[in-house]
Amino acid sequence: MAVRASLFFLFLLLCSLLAAALYEDQVGIADWHQKYIGKTKQAVFHTQKAGRKRVVVATEENVIASLDLRSGDIYWRHVLGKNDPVDQIGIALGKYVVTLSSEGSVLRAWNLPDGQMSWETSIEVLKPSKSLLYVPANAGVEKDNLILVYGGGCLHAISSIDGEVAWKKEFSLEGFNIQGISQPLGGSIIYIVGFTSNSQVVVNKVNAKTGELLNHNSVAYPRGLSGEVLQVSSDLLVALDAARSSLVTINFQASDISFHHMAISNLVQESFVTVSLLPLNVNGMFAAKVDSTLVLARVKDTGELEVTEKINDPSCVSDAILLTEGQEAFAMVQHADNRIHLSIRVNNDIATEVLKESISVDPQRGHAQKIFINNYVRTDRSHGFRALIVMEDHSLLLVQQGEIVWSREDGLASIVDSTVSELPVEKVGVSVAKVEENLLEWLKGHMLKLKGTLMLASAEDVATIQGMRLKNSEKNKMTRDHNGFRKLIIVLTKAGKVLALHTGDGRVIWSVLLPSLRESDVCDSPIALNIYQWHVPHHHAMDENPSLLIVGKCGQSSDAPGVLSVVDSYTGKELNSIMLAHSIAQVIPLPFTDSNEQRLHLIIDRNSDGHLYPRTPDSINVFLREMSSIYWYSVDAEKSMIRGHALKGKCNLDSADEYCFSSKELWSIIFPSESEKIAKIATRKMNEVVHTQAKVNVDHDVMYKYISKNIVFAATVSPKASGEIGSATPEEASLVAYLIDAVTGRILHRVTHQGAQGPIHAVVSENWVVYHYFNLRAHRYEMSVIEIYDQSRAVNKDVWKLILGKHNLTSPITSYSKPEVVVKTQTYFFTHSVKAVAVTATAKGITSKQVLIGTIGDQVLALDKRFLDPRRTLNPSQAEKEEGIIPLTDALPIIPQSYITHSHQVEGLRDIVTIPAKLESTTLVFSYGVDLFFTRIAPSRTYDSLTEDFSYALLLITIIALVAAIIVTWILSEKKELREKWR
């Protein structure tokens, strides 16, 4: 009976949570979803007369997508995942998109019209090597041409119809890597050219139908080859020598291999620093980038090089496309005065530009980095061209007839960090809200809403109501609202671009490609790191705009110098930029501000020295007063070590720097490398608000939450279990979870999960931590919860003292005092794999918490924290039920209506960000990956406000009806009393 009662109680609770769902006409009112593809790295046009004109692209986010050439909209797309990068793409039989991925180990064919996968072939890769995909250009719809794939030292011939392997050829020559594959048009012989590690050029002739080796020839090049090579024709290669000072032509016509070389200094007639070969793919021609000069050269029949043209400061060059038999065209892009200068040239007359266009482009898009061209036949039988251009900010443009036909902001697919900024306050007497046009429209709108409330509206009426809501909604205003729903989400992308998105509809308010994070002579290979709040004006200085701090560094190495940029939150204008003389290992936003209300930041360099920013006398005075209470920790995953640090004084530098401070190591935790490897570190949000520290349980006993912003959650796994799931046996795998005090290094709690391994995802909030991992013994995912309580306040446990205010909480709390803690833990099975975990946040911390889980299906699930209560038991008492404790079950429930993303998928989901609104019941949620999704949720329902779809018209009619009923009943009562008196 107890079990039945528990199940019945759980059923009632689940039913009570169904209110998290939305009606169909409410979708899009408080949420928005945007789809992107990422930075395009390869593109193939498909513009046959029959069917839609489209371009198929492969991106750096491992996305394959088909785009409409007229509008740029996505016909279809597939996100292959971070462990399945796309190597090359092509079109076979005129109806399949062929993709080679995972370093040449997976070949797939996708149906061109709808994107459905037709077949998939796994290719055995024996060793890592350069992968090549060769799709015959003359592949007709009726003929089954073989697709050639090279990877891992083996060449495979695969049927383009069903993906079956026709034959394979292994190349056992030591250090041999294929550099080019060619097949003469209509021929039955395949030429395979490659280099060995000792600079031998090897040419193999293979039968295209059987894979039989017909001829093998190899010749050593005495000067050595660098490995960078271009195939300029079916029997000709161009490469760089080992010193990268000469160009080498390799002719393998017939059975002979011949070499010709030319010093690069003879081409440019001056000294040079860098040189690289560009894939021009024009028959008999190639392009080389020598410093900032583009050299176009032709290979003569004798193998000698002839320079046809030199172009200064070009941005990029396209591959060649076939116009007519023997005539090929390619495009070149140059930049000047915020304009793109596009020119088209043909191979038989390089000096003449058959097309030259100048297009104005937003300077915040940067320079063009890649270009792909396609031709079409005009009505006058002349050739027209369209160009697909990839910009520096990862955006995508289609240019045709001198105009930008469409553009896509695909840099938003690679967000690295985000923050939030408040909108300006609406001034008195000024309103940006749109008023109703007239009384008739107002009445019409409310009558439609009334019909919708009474469920009398037709499908057309429902669509009209939803359109009116979106049109008349105040969610898109550029001022603050009293509920705190309207904000700016400021995002930083991998390209170093900062964009401000409006929470109302997700539109881009402003964008800026930071000059300090662009590649230049000063900053080579810039990397965008993080974004922080820099200046948040107080209520008495509303005329001042808030500003942001953008942090980056110049290079991949740990000692690369850092870059700081300050940007206005309202306009996107870069206010200041600083090229640092030191590296950036960690950025610590401090809870202090100077007199100008600029947030103080401590930047830790590679040597563990701290540098204070902003560098002003006022900030140093504030910092010196608080320096003794500043602690931080660092993690060295390679050495399995966590260290605690504090500041001790000024830096010992040759030049005096009053804003530089040396540090001292306070403590260190060294995990045994043979049994533990750091897998996950998590901490509380510094701006998290806790409503109350006291928690009264069913026995009327007060438990005090151990609330400390210095708590660090660390999870380690055994070295054998640090790989993918299944890389270790249950006996070899283990996971150890730690709660560590970051000030003293004291381990507050430690728990071991035998037979468990990562990936581990964790979130810390208030006095609890929830973490997700895989249990190898049970073959299921699990979620564990740890709650920690402070026992040192036992004298304040009397509820009456708490109510009457007689408890003593004035004694100072320090991390150096001996902690007396009580820990409660519980573990549950969970169905899904997880990509990200977050927790809801509200303004005062009163509203119940929900754990937001990004599932493997790229959706976000809201799980009530009560399901993760470690005090759950099989048979809760009546008092525990009244408190809200749910009966214990072995698995956490997944309620379909609890997916806050509804039917949307946030492809490539990477992170979930929660933002408190001014309305205590509501949390704003922003999740991003390749896609973006924003919504607002109420974990405890909207107990402090009316919903937006509340029918005021129905309320007014109800009030009028009640007043009329009162008047009628009063009149009838008066008449009745009068009749009674006359009797």
Side-chain angles (χ1 to χ4, degrees), residues 409-429:
E409 198 69 63
D410 283 308
L412 287 170
S414 57
I415 295 175
V416 296
D417 199 10
S418 66
T419 188
V420 176
S421 175
E422 294 288 350
L423 285 164
V425 177
E426 187 172 354
K427 297 181 180 179
V428 178

Side-chain angles (χ1 to χ4, degrees), residues 48 236 437 449 563 604:
Q48 294 181 352
L236 190 65
E437 295 179 1
K449 290 179 182 178
V563 180
I604 311 300

Side-chain angles (χ1 to χ4, degrees), residues 33-38 59 61-63 77 79 410 412-415 906-910 928-932:
H33 180 226
Q34 298 177 355
K35 295 182 178 181
Y36 298 100
I37 57 174
T59 73
E61 300 299 324
N62 300 335
V63 176
R77 65 172 180 169
V79 182
D410 283 308
L412 287 170
S414 57
I415 295 175
V906 188
E907 293 284 2
L909 179 64
R910 290 193 300 272
Y928 61 85
V930 176
D931 293 350
L932 308 182

Side-chain angles (χ1 to χ4, degrees), residues 30-197:
D31 59 82
W32 45 264
H33 180 226
Q34 298 177 355
K35 295 182 178 181
Y36 298 100
I37 57 174
K39 183 182 180 181
T40 298
K41 60 181 182 181
Q42 295 180 60
V44 179
F45 290 88
H46 186 262
T47 55
Q48 294 181 352
K49 292 183 179 180
R52 297 173 176 175
K53 292 179 173 57
R54 64 184 74 202
V55 58
V56 181
V57 299
T59 73
E60 292 184 356
E61 300 299 324
N62 300 335
V63 176
I64 304 162
S66 175
L67 306 179
D68 186 354
L69 276 179
R70 294 182 177 86
S71 62
D73 294 336
I74 300 174
Y75 280 134
W76 55 262
R77 65 172 180 169
H78 296 285
V79 182
L80 299 186
K82 62 180 181 180
N83 296 324
D84 192 13
V86 181
D87 302 325
Q88 287 179 270
I89 63 173
I91 294 182
L93 303 179
K95 61 179 180 178
Y96 293 140
V97 178
V98 181
T99 62
L100 182 65
S101 60
S102 295
E103 298 181 348
S105 62
V106 181
L107 185 70
R108 299 181 179 94
W110 313 87
N111 193 25
L112 188 57
D114 56 11
Q116 296 295 320
M117 188 168 66
S118 298
W119 50 260
E120 178 183 272
T121 301
S122 296
I123 302 170
E124 183 181 2
V125 177
L126 303 176
K127 58 182 180 179
S129 68
K130 177 182 177 181
S131 62
L132 290 174
L133 173 67
Y134 178 78
V135 181
N138 60 335
V141 177
E142 300 84 8
K143 189 177 180 181
D144 181 14
N145 290 74
L146 295 177
I147 300 171
L148 301 178
V149 176
Y150 171 76
C154 189
L155 180 69
H156 291 76
I158 298 171
S159 168
S160 55
I161 293 179
D162 54 13
E164 292 293 329
V165 177
W167 53 263
K168 76 173 183 176
K169 179 70 178 175
E170 293 185 14
F171 297 93
S172 58
L173 194 61
E174 184 67 28
F176 177 71
N177 281 315
I178 293 179
Q179 300 294 335
I181 301 173
S182 63
Q183 182 180 8
L185 190 64
S188 60
I189 296 177
I190 299 171
Y191 290 91
I192 301 168
V193 186
F195 300 157
T196 62
S197 55

